[in-house]
Amino acid sequence: MRKDEKQILTGKFRIRGKRDWAVFWIFAGLLCYVLGGQFLSYKIEDWLFQSSNPYMTNLNDPAPGWGRLMIALMLLAAVGEIVLFLCKRNRKGVIAMAVLLVGACVVPFAVRGLYSAHTYLIVSSLWEENPQTVSVWFLGKDQETGQTRYGFLDEDMSKEQKQELLEFCKNLTIVSDEEERRELEEWYRETPSAFMDSTNINIKYNRKYGHSYSFNLRIYEEKIFIWRGNGRQPAQYVTFFEDNGLVEWLENLSPN
C-alpha cells in the first residue's frame, strides 16, 4: 500500500499542491453560497432595497440574490481567516489576515453598490425597450355590485394611445421638493384607499439584466405615485411624481 493511500485510509487528509487548494476553495465557495441562503433575512434585503432605483418595486427586486452573495463572501472571508491562522503564522500571514478582514468589512458596501447599479439597469427597460404588454385599470361604479375594475388592455388601445401613454410615463419627474414630498407621504399614510382604489397603469417588459420589469404606476386624487413595497413594518416605500398631463390624458381615456 502506498503512503498516500495509507494517509487517506487512516483519515490523515492533507491539502497539497495548487490543484488541491483549488478544489478546496471551490468546495468552500459553494458551501458558503448554500449557507448564505440560510442566513439571508428580510432586514438584509431591506437594507439593500434602500439604495435601489426609485422606480424599482419589490416585484422585480434582485435583493435576495445579492444578499445571498454578500453573506457568502463574508463567510468565505471567515474561512480564509481560519486557513491563514492555521497555515501562515509569520509576518506575511498576519498582513494577509488584516487585509482579508478589511476586505470582509468592505464587502457589504461593495455588494450594495453593485446591487444599486443592477436595479438601475433593470429599470432602464422603461426608456430603452419596447414593452411586452400595456394596460390601464380604472375603478368604476356598478349599480348592482358596487365598485368594480375595468381595464384597457393592449387590444383596447390604439397604437397612438399606447405611444402617448409611454411618452407620459417616460417623462415623469420625481417630486424633489422635501416639504412637498413629506406632505405627500403624510397624505398617503392618512389615505388608506390610495393604493386599493387607485387607477393603475401597468407596463411589462421582457427579461433583461437577469430580471423582467413591471412599471406599476398609480393615480389617486390626482396624485401620481409608485408603491414600491414594505420596508421594516410598518414603513412603506412610495415614489411620488409631478403631473406632466398624465391625469388629464387618463380622464379622456376613461369613458366614465
Side-chain angles (χ1 to χ4, degrees), residues 26 37 39 74 78 82 99 103 110-111 122 153 182 186 205 207:
I26 291 173
F39 290 107
M74 295 180 72
I82 295 171
V99 171
V111 170
I122 294 170
L153 308 180
R182 284 197 298 267
E186 184 178 356
Y205 291 87
R207 186 180 182 88

Side-chain angles (χ1 to χ4, degrees), residues 17 21 28 46 63 246:
W21 278 111
D46 181 55
L246 177 59

Side-chain angles (χ1 to χ4, degrees), residues 75-246:
L75 288 174
L76 192 60
V79 173
E81 289 284 356
I82 295 171
V83 169
L84 287 171
F85 177 78
L86 295 174
C87 300
K88 295 286 185 179
R89 299 187 180 182
N90 53 21
R91 184 170 177 271
K92 290 183 178 180
V94 173
I95 294 174
M97 290 176 67
V99 171
L100 189 58
L101 179 61
V102 173
C105 294
V106 171
V107 161
F109 304 98
V111 170
R112 195 185 195 197
L114 292 171
Y115 159 80
S116 179
H118 190 197
T119 64
Y120 277 79
L121 288 174
I122 294 170
V123 167
S124 68
S125 294
L126 177 63
W127 296 276
E128 298 176 359
E129 304 295 324
N130 293 320
Q132 184 181 16
T133 61
V134 178
S135 61
V136 180
W137 293 91
F138 296 96
L139 188 67
K141 295 288 185 178
D142 188 285
Q143 294 180 353
E144 296 181 359
T145 62
Q147 292 181 333
T148 181
R149 286 198 175 274
Y150 61 97
F152 287 85
L153 308 180
D154 268 332
E155 58 270 21
D156 300 317
M157 287 187 285
S158 66
K159 183 178 179 180
E160 291 74 17
Q161 287 176 321
K162 284 190 287 187
Q163 187 58 41
E164 288 176 358
L165 178 59
L166 287 172
E167 289 302 318
F168 276 117
C169 293
K170 290 178 181 180
N171 291 287
L172 286 168
T173 302
I174 296 175
V175 172
S176 58
D177 183 77
E178 189 68 22
E179 183 176 352
E180 182 181 359
R181 187 177 59 82
R182 284 197 298 267
E183 291 176 355
L184 288 168
E185 289 175 349
E186 184 178 356
W187 164 84
Y188 185 84
R189 287 192 298 268
E190 296 176 352
T191 312
S193 58
F195 178 79
M196 294 302 298
D197 295 344
S198 56
T199 296
N200 178 217
I201 298 172
N202 186 268
I203 305 173
K204 293 183 179 180
Y205 291 87
N206 290 318
R207 186 180 182 88
K208 192 175 183 181
Y209 302 112
H211 276 264
S212 58
Y213 177 63
S214 294
F215 179 73
N216 202 345
L217 193 70
R218 294 182 178 274
I219 298 95
Y220 189 75
E221 293 183 354
E222 298 186 352
K223 294 177 175 61
I224 306 172
F225 62 93
I226 292 176
W227 184 83
R228 303 177 59 205
N230 287 324
R232 298 178 184 179
Q233 300 293 345
Q236 298 185 64
Y237 297 106
V238 183
T239 300
F240 293 95
F241 298 92
E242 304 283 357
D243 183 13
N244 60 356
L246 177 59

Side-chain angles (χ1 to χ4, degrees), residues 7-59:
Q7 286 179 340
I8 294 173
L9 291 174
T10 56
K12 295 180 179 180
F13 175 75
R14 295 181 181 180
I15 300 176
R16 294 178 176 178
K18 294 181 179 179
R19 187 178 67 177
D20 289 349
W21 278 111
V23 172
F24 169 79
W25 285 116
I26 291 173
F27 178 78
L30 291 174
L31 181 61
C32 289
Y33 188 75
V34 171
L35 291 175
Q38 302 300 316
F39 290 107
L40 183 63
S41 69
Y42 80 91
K43 291 183 179 181
I44 294 175
E45 294 180 19
D46 181 55
W47 181 72
L48 291 171
F49 192 67
Q50 291 171 18
S51 65
S52 64
N53 187 290
Y55 284 72
M56 174 63 65
T57 70
N58 58 358
L59 292 174

